[in-house]
């Protein structure tokens, strides 16, 4: 389960419907061109929290069918509707996903006991494994080392996708739970996360920049820090340009320029403006041409 996982982009048609052929092309690009180790399906990058349940299921199904066991698959099934989470967990497990993940429940200020019940309810409903998705800057949910430990008491909860800038907490987690999987969730902070002992990384920019990101990861793992730092500088130049131009729209635009039908973003996200298209073309010429 270790290594580089793309937080999978999803192709939509202009009317918001799922572009199934485009999704298959994105999967193939990640596996065949970017050479990633796995796919994290149904996360923020997949615009998951704007989708109806049946569309989420269809995405899980298409990805599994196109992948055909080539790389590891993680299904993000978290939702404010716990019945939906359980339904998706069962569906993805039946499809053969290697593990599940679930974002911490957000919006309402849930107590830790409520959060713990949420995770145990989801993972105890299936014969599978759970990776906590911790992204406090979007959810407002911060957990301590001891609270992560309480969740890890359930042996089916095997790790965490750590999308936070608190590297003191990351170091404490790594030391306290050496046998749990920890994935870095910020592409721009991969090098320091690897130095602190993460087992892998899950990122949105890997959909287009997977080769270089994977090279960075393994350089850092091998202790070649100077080389890895130079590569992190290059990766972060790219990330800065993408963020300045519009994250998801630019990533989809870059895929389109490489012949992948990456489609549109789901409303209320806007489509690429003419200015954004010009910016995307400039980024493509700078980093990929």
């Amino acid at each position: 389960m270790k290594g580089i996982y793309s937080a999978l982009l999803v192709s939509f048609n202009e009317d918001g419907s799922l572009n199934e052929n485009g999704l298959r092309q994105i999967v193939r690009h990640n596996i065949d061109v970017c050479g990633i180790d796995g796919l994290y399906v149904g996360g923020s990058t997949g615009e998951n929290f704007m989708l109806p349940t049946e569309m989420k299921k269809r995405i899980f199904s298409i990805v599994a069918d196109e992948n055909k066991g080539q790389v590891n698959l993680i299904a993000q099934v978290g939702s404010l509707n716990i019945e939906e989470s359980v339904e998706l967990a069962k569906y993805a497990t039946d499809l053969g996903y290697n593990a599940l993940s679930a974002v911490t429940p957000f919006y309402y200020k849930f107590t830790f006991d409520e959060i713990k019940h949420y995770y145990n309810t989801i993972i105890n409903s299936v014969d599978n494994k759970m990776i906590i998705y911790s992204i406090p800057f979007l959810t407002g949910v911060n957990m301590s080392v001891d609270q992560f430990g309480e969740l890890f008491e359930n042996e089916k909860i095997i790790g965490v996708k750590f999308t936070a800038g608190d590297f003191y907490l990351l170091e404490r987690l790594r030391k306290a739970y050496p046998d749990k999987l920890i994935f870095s969730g910020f592409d721009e902070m991969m090098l320091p996360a690897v130095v602190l002992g993460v087992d892998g990384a899950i990122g949105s920019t890997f959909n287009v920049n997977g080769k270089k990101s994977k090279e960075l990861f393994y350089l850092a793992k091998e202790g070649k820090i100077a080389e890895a730092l130079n590569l992190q500088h290059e990766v972060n130049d790219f990330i800065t340009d993408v963020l300045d131009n519009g994250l998801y729209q630019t990533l989809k635009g870059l895929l389109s320029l490489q012949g992948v039908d990456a489609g549109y973003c789901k409303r209320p996200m806007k489509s690429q403006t003419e200015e954004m298209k010009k910016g995307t073309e400039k980024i493509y010429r700078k980093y990929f041409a």
Side-chain angles (χ1 to χ4, degrees):
M1 292 293 295
K2 299 178 180 181
I4 295 295
Y5 286 66
S6 285
L8 191 68
L9 288 160
V10 173
S11 181
F12 299 100
N13 297 309
E14 192 169 9
D15 65 0
S17 59
L18 181 62
N19 180 345
E20 298 192 4
N21 183 57
L23 175 58
R24 289 182 182 275
Q25 290 181 38
I26 294 173
V27 172
R28 290 260 54 88
H29 182 85
N30 270 284
I31 296 171
D32 300 336
V33 178
C34 294
I36 48 76
D37 300 307
L39 297 171
Y40 185 89
V41 187
S44 309
T45 306
E47 301 165 64
N48 173 78
F49 303 109
M50 297 181 283
L51 307 183
T53 305
E54 290 307 311
M55 187 178 287
K56 293 177 184 180
K57 286 183 173 181
R58 186 62 185 148
I59 290 167
F60 287 147
S61 177
I62 290 169
V63 173
D65 180 67
E66 189 62 40
N67 178 54
K68 293 182 172 63
Q70 288 182 267
V71 300
N72 287 325
L73 298 180
I74 301 173
Q76 197 293 127
V77 300
S79 170
L80 282 180
N81 181 339
I82 197 167
E83 287 83 9
E84 180 191 44
S85 291
V86 169
E87 182 179 346
L88 292 173
K90 291 177 179 178
Y91 188 80
T93 298
D94 288 344
L95 287 171
Y97 274 68
N98 302 90
L100 307 174
S101 184
V103 69
T104 48
F106 52 91
Y107 188 80
Y108 301 101
K109 294 188 181 300
F110 295 102
T111 66
F112 177 71
D113 283 344
E114 290 169 331
I115 293 170
K116 185 176 179 180
H117 177 265
Y118 162 88
Y119 280 112
N120 287 333
T121 298
I122 296 169
I123 197 56
N124 289 340
S125 71
V126 291
D127 181 15
N128 209 329
K129 302 175 287 289
M130 170 64 72
I131 295 167
I132 299 160
Y133 181 12
S134 178
I135 183 167
F137 85 103
L138 288 180
T139 62
V141 178
N142 289 282
M143 291 189 293
S144 68
V145 174
D146 289 342
Q147 288 173 331
F148 276 107
E150 280 195 49
L151 296 177
F152 290 151
E153 287 174 4
N154 186 329
E155 292 183 357
K156 297 171 78 173
I157 300 179
I158 63 168
V160 56
K161 181 189 176 191
F162 188 91
T163 309
D166 186 349
F167 277 26
Y168 173 63
L169 176 60
L170 176 58
E171 183 273 336
R172 294 286 84 189
L173 282 174
R174 178 73 293 165
K175 184 174 187 296
Y177 310 109
D179 297 328
K180 295 295 182 180
L181 284 172
I182 302 180
F183 291 95
S184 169
F186 275 137
D187 307 10
E188 63 272 26
M189 298 183 190
M190 188 193 297
L191 173 55
V194 175
V195 170
L196 289 173
V198 297
D199 300 292
I202 299 169
S204 56
T205 62
F206 304 164
N207 285 271
V208 296
N209 207 30
K211 276 186 178 179
K212 190 165 287 189
S213 299
K214 190 172 179 179
E215 182 183 355
L216 192 166
F217 177 79
Y218 286 106
L219 281 172
K221 278 289 185 186
E222 293 165 7
K224 298 176 181 177
I225 302 304
E227 293 176 59
L229 181 58
N230 285 333
L231 201 51
Q232 184 75 76
H233 290 324
E234 292 180 30
V235 166
N236 284 2
D237 288 343
F238 169 71
I239 291 172
T240 297
D241 288 345
V242 168
L243 291 174
D244 287 346
N245 197 58
L247 177 58
Y248 300 129
Q249 296 89 343
T250 302
L251 292 178
K252 289 186 176 186
L254 289 170
L255 283 175
S256 296
L257 289 171
Q258 295 177 72
V260 177
D261 185 8
Y264 296 81
C265 289
K266 188 80 172 176
R267 292 290 184 180
M269 287 189 185
K270 67 181 180 181
S271 300
Q272 270 201 323
T273 63
E274 288 305 313
E275 183 178 356
M276 291 169 76
K277 288 179 182 178
K278 290 177 182 177
T280 301
E281 290 168 0
K282 183 178 179 181
I283 293 169
Y284 178 77
R285 289 193 299 270
K286 183 177 178 180
Y287 296 101
F288 298 99

